[in-house]
Amino acid sequence: EHVGYGLLQWTAAQPTISLPPLLWPAEHSPTVSASMACTLARTKASVGCPGTKVERPLFFGAALQRPVCRAPKNRQAWSRRFVTESCLGPWNNPNLVRLTYLLPAIANARANDAATDDSSAQNNSNIESVQPEEKRSGPLVMPPKPILGVMPLEHAENQRSLTEQSLVNSDAIFNVELAWLGFNWRVFAMALDKRTPLIERLRFCAITESNLDEFFEKRVGGLKTQQLAGAENLKSKESYIEGSMWTPTQQLKLIAPAVRDMRACVDETLMEDILPELKAKTGISIVQSLDELDEHDKQELEDFFMEEVEPLITPLAIDPGHPFPSVTNLQISLAVELQDPFVQDIASGASATLSMKEKRSADFITLKRFSIVILPSTISRWIPLHGKNGVFAPLELVLRLNLDRIYGGMMVLSVHPFRITRSADISRHEEDADDLLEMITLEVRHRKFASVTRLEVDANMPDHVVKSLVYKMELAEDDVYHIRGLIGLNQLFKLPVNCIHNHRDFEWPKFKGFTHSRLVNIGQPAQIFKRIRQGDILVHHPFHSFRTSTQLFVEMAAADPTVMAIKATLYRTNDDSPIIGALARAAESGKQVAVLVELKARFDEARNVGFAHMLEKAGCNVAYGLVGLKTHCKVVMVVRQEPEGLRKYVHIGTGNYNPSTAGVYTDFGLLTCDEEIGDDALDLFKYLTGYHRQKTYRKLLVAPRFMHKAFSRLVSNEIKNAKAGLPSGMVIKCNALTDKHLTDRLYEASKAGVKIDMIIRGPCRIRPGLPGFSDNIRVVSIIGRFLEHHRLYRFENGGDPKYFIGSADWMTRNLERRVEVVTPITDSNLKAELQAILDICLGDRFQAWNMRVDGRYSIQRGLPEAEAGIGTHAELIKLADQEDKAQQKLRRMKVSGGLPRKMASIIQPDSVL
């Protein structure tokens, strides 16, 4: 073994790595041209004979020292290319590191400067494309480089070796964790896109970080739980042994470098592009260091600290008398290294009489102290500087400025921020629980002390401090992420950008959903039920107002004296939900109100427990969910006494009864009094609140027992029609498609000649464009201003198309382990509306990403507007505005008598459109 600088050379044409005979000592390390793209790593490697050939292994990420290089002309572009291409660990770790695997260099070190620059630009075109430009041409590909560990199916030799079984089952072709990270790359691309308003680009950085937070809480937390259990205890043990599925350890090894790549790009985009442009155009800036503050600023922040912060700060010492504290999940903390001058003076005087062995003893080395300060969550992180409008100092910087007050009389050696992420994957034993409400309440409490899945540290944090945190939190090296920019970008959501008068110029144009044409001018409860009896109503949020449609339906039902009962499912809603208030008022007025509150909605458990208590106090009959299942369906049923007898009115939606998310999520809702759907809804609630086994449903597709088979039959029908020469085809629009059985059926349909268009926002198991497997399949993903959330399914059905909307994605968990409801749309006018929306989505060349054969997605940039259009969301806003204006014009004509009375009574505004 030899410690020194080792140069590893690799080219695409060279199947092995050659260890050159020269190993330089550290003090004689050479300076090489950056354009040669060499990787110089200070490594402890096992070296055989000079020039020995070794097989090129997979590498899953390792720490790498900043390369010694001559600065190129374009330093930023080169550093971005290096970080993104190498998939390595901490970007600037000045300490000796151990390389677990041999690291291939980026390009041939012996190529001349010009040739290397040209080939590097060509080979890394998709890496360079992550750089934001004013005018971009050509496709942008995300993730910006091939997914590590995933088989490159774009190569013909890999396609020839494919089987249908491997295509459906193999993790090397589709892995849901890596596919989810691929989706987050597409979200981050919105921050790169200069067409996105500047402040919205800042928010998309926050969204990207927030998504990663949830990914480590749920997905990585789940993998670590499986890892602890051991592969022999997992249900798919045979698949792990056969190699078609990766073990949790393999997946974690692949996730770490993928996340480091993403975070490095986010940091660079934010720090070197978005924040400087934000400061130049709006004056909004975030102070990065104490050097940027003048004396007046420092005095202001010191006064603020003493008045507002200091009483809330609790410095936590780490020593034998003070155990390591419980650090709050996703809350920024400071790791502070201290020295006591008094003890140091005593030790210095005594050191002359101590032997070297005694000086190295534990007692003598305990001069350094270690402490943690957790930032208070009750104070905004962004502290405005008065007199400098738009300038904010992060709270951690304020604490750093005032450490002398926190640690009086101590010498501060170093202070660096860090943040942890805790697992949200806590095992449940619902079958053994006497009270589901009590069990969930305890689970929420225990989550505060769950195991740590990620440690984010400042890139300049000393290595021994990092190791101390890693040891205390029982983490591995791959769990540590060195951040060279701001930690906790999710808090950029709360940056008060409205402090400047023209902030609207750098945001999306303000949009407020309008009232559906069938629901205007409703003043009395009876009116909304009359409108529903005249025909089904399809609302499309956020383009149709949630307040004047779905919310109005529940509120009018609560106020209507002829309503006898209301039954509803609640999965997620906001804190001051008007839906909760309406249901409580209905119960207090004597109506029979039954509500299933799903306590197991991840991250909303505590809120839902509170709602359950409030509804119970109001007199509602509250159920907490079904053992072993999550109730994810969105259904409200209203039973009303009418002259003909009791009539059931039903709302079935694709999204939650949440006014907040209804303004940013795209969702459908159907208001109907169809008798068969009403009877199905009644049977559904008997199943949810009591003991009832339904043998079949009349119209609704209900999971877990019936929906999976129903969709499979619908696909089979399309295959049958295609083989018979009848019209066939499918459009699948949902958030994710990962179910293996339906994936297999879709490949079979493609082979039979069925044309399949898929609009899948997130992970999708299908690989389109594979000869002999998916020639007839196209997959697109729409990312933009609103979160695509509705589920819509269309089947050609031999020329008589069937449409369905509902709460279920094509994921095994939705189809087998959740209560889901999908409803058919039978009204011809509503079918036409749905088809128009599908046509807009499938014709989008502005914000729709197309999946490639290799599993990555591309989008064409720089197209003229006449060719690219304005995007799905802008197009739908435009149509919504046109419909609203048509409504207003029609109402004015009615009022002024411009329409004959007979015509005015039969023409509906939507039919005028």
Side-chain angles (χ1 to χ4, degrees):
E1 290 189 337
H2 178 85
V3 177
Y5 278 84
L7 175 63
L8 306 178
Q9 300 173 195
W10 173 79
T11 61
Q14 185 178 350
T16 59
I17 297 174
S18 175
L19 288 178
L22 181 58
L23 285 171
W24 297 285
E27 62 269 19
H28 297 296
S29 57
T31 299
V32 299
S33 168
S35 59
M36 293 170 65
C38 296
T39 303
L40 280 172
R42 190 174 189 180
T43 168
K44 184 175 182 181
S46 189
V47 179
C49 298
T52 301
K53 297 280 185 175
V54 295
E55 291 185 1
R56 178 180 172 222
L58 287 174
F59 60 99
F60 300 118
L64 179 69
Q65 175 176 324
R66 183 187 296 275
V68 180
C69 62
R70 169 170 57 82
K73 295 179 181 179
N74 188 348
R75 184 190 301 267
Q76 293 180 4
W78 180 83
S79 66
R80 178 185 294 108
R81 184 163 59 246
F82 180 86
V83 172
T84 309
E85 186 69 15
S86 59
C87 254
L88 301 176
W91 168 237
N92 47 357
N93 181 359
N95 303 291
L96 183 68
V97 297
R98 183 189 302 269
L99 294 182
T100 309
Y101 300 91
L102 295 177
L103 302 176
I106 297 174
N108 187 357
R110 300 188 181 280
N112 59 60
D113 286 3
T116 304
D117 287 340
D118 293 341
S119 63
S120 178
Q122 181 178 359
N123 294 335
N124 297 289
S125 60
N126 53 0
I127 301 298
E128 291 296 328
S129 68
V130 304
Q131 303 177 47
E133 301 171 4
E134 288 294 338
K135 293 183 179 179
R136 185 188 310 280
S137 59
L140 172 66
V141 180
M142 285 296 178
K145 66 176 184 177
I147 305 169
L148 190 64
V150 174
M151 183 185 297
L153 292 183
E154 66 274 20
H155 298 162
E157 60 272 18
N158 290 329
Q159 294 178 10
R160 286 193 293 269
S161 64
L162 277 179
T163 64
E164 191 164 332
Q165 183 178 4
S166 65
L167 193 59
V168 173
N169 295 304
S170 176
D171 269 359
I173 295 175
F174 172 84
N175 175 265
V176 67
E177 319 300 344
L178 298 181
W180 189 96
L181 290 174
F183 158 69
N184 209 34
W185 272 109
R186 300 195 294 278
V187 173
F188 169 60
M190 292 295 296
L192 292 168
D193 194 346
K194 289 285 186 177
R195 302 174 303 179
T196 305
L198 183 56
I199 291 177
E200 304 298 343
R201 292 177 62 199
L202 182 76
R203 289 170 179 157
F204 271 103
C205 287
I207 293 171
T208 304
E209 177 78 345
S210 180
N211 287 347
L212 281 176
D213 292 344
E214 186 172 329
F215 177 76
F216 275 91
E217 287 179 300
K218 294 169 62 175
R219 314 292 310 186
V220 175
L223 287 174
K224 284 185 171 290
T225 300
Q226 295 177 38
Q227 188 181 42
L228 290 173
E232 66 277 4
N233 296 322
L234 299 175
K235 295 179 181 178
S236 302
K237 181 176 67 174
E238 296 82 4
S239 299
Y240 287 102
I241 295 173
E242 294 169 2
S244 63
M245 289 180 65
W246 292 334
T247 65
T249 300
Q250 287 176 305
Q251 295 180 67
L252 291 170
K253 283 289 185 182
L254 291 169
I255 286 170
V259 172
R260 287 192 176 96
D261 270 0
M262 183 184 300
R263 198 55 169 84
C265 287
V266 173
D267 285 339
E268 186 163 357
T269 300
L270 179 68
M271 306 303 293
E272 298 182 14
D273 178 33
I274 295 176
L275 287 181
E277 186 177 350
L278 194 66
K279 182 178 181 180
K281 292 184 176 180
T282 69
I284 297 174
S285 65
I286 298 174
V287 180
Q288 300 294 317
S289 70
L290 295 176
D291 296 336
E292 299 177 36
L293 301 172
D294 57 32
E295 292 304 318
H296 179 269
D297 297 333
K298 291 180 180 179
Q299 185 60 52
E300 179 184 335
L301 293 178
E302 287 174 359
D303 293 341
F304 173 80
F305 175 81
M306 288 187 290
E307 295 173 6
E308 304 291 339
V309 183
E310 189 173 17
L312 305 178
I313 291 296
T314 304
L316 304 169
I318 311 297
D319 58 33
H322 300 83
F324 194 82
S326 176
V327 182
T328 307
N329 182 43
L330 298 179
Q331 186 69 27
I332 296 175
S333 303
L334 296 179
V336 186
E337 196 177 17
L338 305 158
Q339 199 166 45
D340 190 336
F342 178 74
V343 176
Q344 184 182 20
D345 292 341
I346 296 176
S348 298
S351 64
T353 62
L354 293 176
S355 66
M356 184 60 67
K357 182 177 180 180
E358 290 172 326
K359 287 181 179 180
R360 290 176 178 173
S361 68
D363 292 337
F364 186 77
I365 299 177
T366 54
L367 298 176
K368 290 184 180 180
R369 305 285 188 257
F370 186 55
S371 179
I372 286 177
V373 181
I374 302 175
L375 272 62
S377 59
T378 54
I379 299 178
S380 171
R381 183 182 180 186
W382 313 111
I383 311 303
L385 293 177
H386 299 293
K388 294 184 177 180
N389 189 34
V391 180
F392 300 91
L395 184 58
E396 60 267 30
L397 196 69
V398 177
L399 266 66
R400 187 173 182 177
L401 178 64
N402 292 276
L403 284 177
D404 58 332
R405 294 188 60 85
I406 301 175
Y407 300 102
M410 302 294 289
M411 182 188 302
V412 177
L413 302 179
S414 69
V415 54
H416 297 279
F418 72 94
R419 190 178 75 141
I420 68 165
T421 308
R422 293 189 182 274
S423 174
D425 187 78
I426 297 178
S427 60
R428 293 191 179 113
H429 302 282
E430 299 176 31
E431 294 81 1
D432 301 329
D434 294 328
D435 189 329
L436 192 58
L437 179 64
E438 181 180 354
M439 186 198 77
I440 297 297
T441 302
L442 289 174
E443 177 186 308
V444 173
R445 194 174 304 156
H446 291 161
R447 189 174 291 167
K448 297 178 181 179
F449 310 100
S451 60
V452 178
T453 60
R454 175 180 58 165
L455 171 63
E456 297 170 279
V457 300
D458 180 68
N460 297 314
M461 181 181 285
D463 190 55
H464 64 277
V465 177
V466 176
K467 288 180 178 178
S468 177
L469 292 173
V470 168
Y471 174 75
K472 294 293 185 181
M473 298 178 186
E474 301 179 345
L475 296 173
E477 289 184 7
D478 274 346
D479 299 326
V480 182
Y481 295 83
H482 292 69
I483 309 298
R484 77 177 185 91
L486 290 167
I487 293 178
L489 299 183
N490 59 315
Q491 296 187 20
L492 289 173
F493 280 122
K494 299 179 180 179
L495 188 68
V497 296
N498 57 356
C499 63
I500 59 171
H501 70 280
N502 64 335
H503 66 94
R504 288 290 183 190
D505 297 339
F506 302 96
E507 298 176 302
W508 301 116
K510 193 172 182 179
F511 173 75
K512 184 179 179 181
F514 69 96
T515 301
H516 192 285
S517 58
R518 297 274 306 281
L519 298 173
V520 295
N521 297 329
I522 291 180
Q524 299 297 323
Q527 291 178 297
I528 191 169
F529 299 108
K530 179 181 179 181
R531 305 279 177 90
I532 296 173
R533 287 197 301 274
Q534 292 171 350
D536 292 353
I537 300 174
L538 181 71
V539 293
H540 188 193
H541 308 305
F543 314 101
H544 291 137
S545 168
F546 181 86
R547 183 181 61 82
T548 61
S549 57
T550 306
Q551 180 180 326
L552 180 70
F553 173 68
V554 179
E555 290 177 333
M556 289 297 181
D560 188 350
T562 64
V563 167
M564 301 290 103
I566 302 175
K567 303 183 181 185
T569 62
L570 291 178
Y571 189 72
R572 300 186 196 274
T573 188
N574 55 334
D575 290 325
D576 53 348
S577 171
I579 301 293
I580 297 291
L583 293 173
R585 291 194 301 272
E588 290 167 352
S589 66
K591 294 178 172 61
Q592 293 292 322
V593 179
V595 184
L596 188 140
V597 179
E598 181 49 75
L599 300 183
K600 293 169 285 187
R602 192 75 63 96
F603 304 121
D604 279 329
E605 297 96 337
R607 178 186 290 115
N608 286 0
V609 166
F611 289 148
H613 285 308
M614 186 171 69
L615 290 170
E616 284 179 331
K617 289 180 181 179
C620 299
N621 294 310
V622 179
Y624 304 137
L626 301 177
V627 173
L629 297 173
K630 274 188 179 179
T631 304
H632 188 249
C633 58
K634 287 73 170 145
V635 182
V636 173
M637 183 180 73
V638 174
V639 181
R640 189 167 184 265
Q641 181 67 60
E642 296 182 353
E644 302 83 7
L646 294 176
R647 189 190 295 268
K648 295 178 284 290
Y649 296 83
V650 181
H651 174 274
I652 299 175
T654 65
N656 296 306
Y657 295 112
N658 187 329
S660 298
T661 57
V664 291
Y665 288 19
T666 63
D667 274 307
F668 293 123
L670 177 70
L671 290 167
T672 182
C673 60
D674 181 281
E675 186 174 346
E676 289 184 305
I677 290 179
D679 290 340
D680 281 347
L682 179 62
D683 290 333
L684 173 70
F685 279 103
K686 287 190 289 187
Y687 167 62
L688 294 176
T689 61
Y691 295 107
H692 180 76
R693 291 290 182 186
Q694 186 71 14
K695 293 183 178 180
T696 184
Y697 288 91
R698 302 156 188 83
K699 283 189 174 181
L700 297 183
L701 310 185
V702 179
R705 291 186 60 198
F706 306 98
M707 187 182 294
H708 207 167
K709 293 179 181 178
F711 277 132
S712 184
R713 286 195 298 268
L714 288 166
V715 175
S716 297
N717 187 57
E718 297 304 315
I719 297 173
K720 176 182 175 182
N721 289 338
K723 291 179 177 179
L726 298 174
S728 64
M730 287 180 276
V731 181
I732 313 296
K733 187 181 189 307
C734 57
N735 299 330
L737 192 156
T738 60
D739 182 74
K740 293 182 179 180
H741 173 72
L742 290 176
T743 298
D744 184 59
R745 301 295 290 148
L746 290 173
Y747 279 130
E748 184 180 346
S750 176
K751 290 179 181 179
V754 180
K755 295 292 183 182
I756 306 172
D757 286 310
M758 305 176 68
I759 309 166
I760 313 295
R761 187 195 74 213
C764 178
R765 188 174 289 275
I766 291 286
R767 288 286 190 92
L770 286 172
F773 291 99
S774 54
D775 312 74
N776 295 306
I777 299 178
R778 175 193 176 200
V779 179
V780 301
S781 172
I782 295 176
I783 309 292
R785 173 176 182 173
F786 304 120
L787 180 75
E788 289 290 309
H789 192 254
H790 35 35
R791 291 86 167 180
L792 168 58
Y793 305 98
R794 179 192 185 276
F795 301 89
E796 184 60 35
N797 191 38
D800 182 19
K802 291 184 176 182
Y803 294 81
F804 298 85
I805 65 168
S807 60
D809 295 311
W810 278 16
M811 302 175 69
T812 305
R813 71 173 189 186
N814 295 82
L815 301 170
E816 300 292 344
R817 299 190 295 275
R818 289 187 174 186
V819 180
E820 305 275 10
V821 170
V822 167
T823 181
I825 302 297
T826 56
D827 184 277
S828 58
N829 291 327
L830 303 189
K831 287 183 177 181
E833 289 183 32
L834 294 175
Q835 186 59 52
I837 293 169
L838 289 176
D839 291 341
I840 290 173
C841 293
L842 294 172
D844 188 351
R845 299 194 65 189
F846 186 89
Q847 65 183 78
W849 296 75
N850 287 277
M851 187 194 279
R852 310 185 334 163
V853 177
D854 63 355
R856 296 188 292 161
Y857 288 73
S858 66
I859 190 170
Q860 192 74 21
R861 294 286 169 83
L863 295 174
E865 185 174 319
E867 185 178 352
I870 59 176
T872 296
H873 297 157
E875 190 70 41
L876 291 172
I877 288 175
K878 180 180 176 182
L879 292 176
D881 185 61
Q882 291 175 357
E883 183 175 346
D884 189 35
K885 290 178 179 177
Q887 287 182 36
Q888 295 177 21
K889 182 177 180 181
L890 184 60
R891 288 196 295 269
R892 286 195 301 268
M893 293 175 69
K894 279 184 169 183
V895 172
S896 63
L899 280 176
R901 182 175 300 176
K902 183 177 180 181
M903 183 180 295
S905 65
I906 62 173
I907 291 183
Q908 295 291 335
D910 46 353
S911 62
V912 172
L913 272 179

